[in-house]
Amino acid sequence: MKGIAKMYSNTHKFIFIHWGKCAGSSIKQALASINGLEVKLQRGHADLDTMKRLIKEDGFNFEQYFKFSCVRNPWDRMVSLYHHMSTEGERHPNNPEKQKINFEGTFEEFLHHQELYPSIYPNFQDFDHVVRYEFLQDDFNILCEKLGIPNKVELPRIDYNTGRPKINYQLYYNLKTKELVTKQNLKIIDLFGYKFRE
């Protein structure tokens, strides 16, 4: 899956690995809006070794940087990702690249498509802090404290207008698809204690 991005700051010594559909865009926008906080954005493969090289090229010590990422209940995330990917063409009618990655099919077909082209998961245990989507503002406030950002920063709500219905993610699943997502996300489920809420 495309969409993993990196943000880093040499003024506040942090690295943010943004994993798609976990409110990472809101986090990046909030941080970029803070006066005196200089940030840089990079796209592409989002491993920490790449970040180490970039920071070294900037003349700084990678070991001094605070590393964080974001995470979300995987069953909920896949529903969000499905609506995002299946409306890319409609939302970007004049962008040929968006047209290429637009997904046309059912939710179950999408899950099998993702099984063939799995996400590149960050190794969450390598991070100093992980912002959980389910506790977004609270975890972000903790992050700001750790980064030495004194004023409370409200996270913006970014609406991509994907047309996702306001229904529980559980209604998208049957036993087969539930187990498919469980199998694909065992490490995240175990590490963060996520459950498929009945």
Side-chain angles (χ1 to χ4, degrees):
M1 186 203 78
K2 296 181 180 180
I4 297 179
K6 308 177 285 287
M7 169 188 264
Y8 68 106
S9 171
N10 292 327
T11 59
H12 283 64
K13 299 291 190 294
F14 70 72
I15 298 165
F16 174 42
I17 303 296
H18 169 195
W19 193 41
K21 307 314 299 176
C22 297
S25 294
S26 294
I27 294 170
K28 288 191 295 185
Q29 186 171 312
L31 291 172
S33 71
I34 298 171
N35 289 334
L37 199 163
E38 176 193 325
V39 295
K40 295 187 177 185
L41 294 173
Q42 295 284 332
R43 292 198 65 80
H45 189 50
D47 61 274
L48 290 174
D49 285 339
T50 301
M51 299 308 302
K52 186 174 184 177
R53 177 180 55 78
L54 289 171
I55 288 167
K56 184 177 180 181
E57 288 174 0
D58 285 346
F60 295 95
N61 183 358
F62 171 82
E63 301 301 329
Q64 296 175 346
Y65 282 63
F66 186 87
K67 301 173 289 295
F68 65 96
S69 188
C70 49
V71 72
R72 183 177 186 174
N73 177 306
W75 298 281
D76 184 31
R77 178 178 177 271
M78 293 309 295
V79 173
S80 181
L81 184 60
Y82 167 67
H83 282 286
H84 189 88
M85 297 297 293
S86 61
T87 59
E88 284 278 41
E90 179 183 339
R91 290 182 290 114
H92 305 280
N94 300 318
N95 187 329
E97 292 303 312
K98 297 292 185 181
Q99 300 295 325
K100 287 180 185 178
I101 63 174
N102 187 76
F103 182 82
E104 296 181 4
T106 66
F107 179 61
E108 185 165 350
E109 289 169 341
F110 177 73
L111 294 182
H112 286 291
H113 177 78
Q114 291 298 302
E115 188 177 29
L116 294 174
Y117 304 98
S119 299
I120 302 171
Y121 293 102
N123 184 355
F124 288 104
Q125 291 175 310
D126 289 340
F127 293 92
D128 302 304
H129 183 70
V130 178
V131 176
R132 298 162 295 172
Y133 182 89
E134 297 75 21
F135 305 98
L136 189 56
Q137 188 66 57
D138 288 342
D139 280 2
F140 182 73
N141 291 344
I142 293 170
L143 172 68
C144 288
E145 289 180 19
K146 292 184 176 183
L147 294 178
I149 299 170
N151 297 322
K152 184 176 180 181
V153 180
E154 293 293 333
L155 284 165
R157 186 181 185 279
I158 300 176
D159 188 352
Y160 287 102
N161 297 313
T162 64
R164 176 178 175 174
K166 296 185 182 301
I167 59 175
N168 291 336
Y169 67 81
Q170 297 96 327
L171 297 177
Y172 283 78
Y173 289 90
N174 55 39
L175 183 60
K176 179 181 177 182
T177 53
K178 173 187 169 183
E179 290 305 314
L180 178 60
V181 173
T182 301
K183 181 180 177 182
Q184 291 173 338
N185 295 273
L186 279 176
K187 288 185 178 180
I188 291 173
I189 292 167
D190 289 344
L191 186 60
F192 293 97
Y194 281 121
K195 298 182 185 301
F196 186 92
R197 302 294 181 185
E198 302 293 351

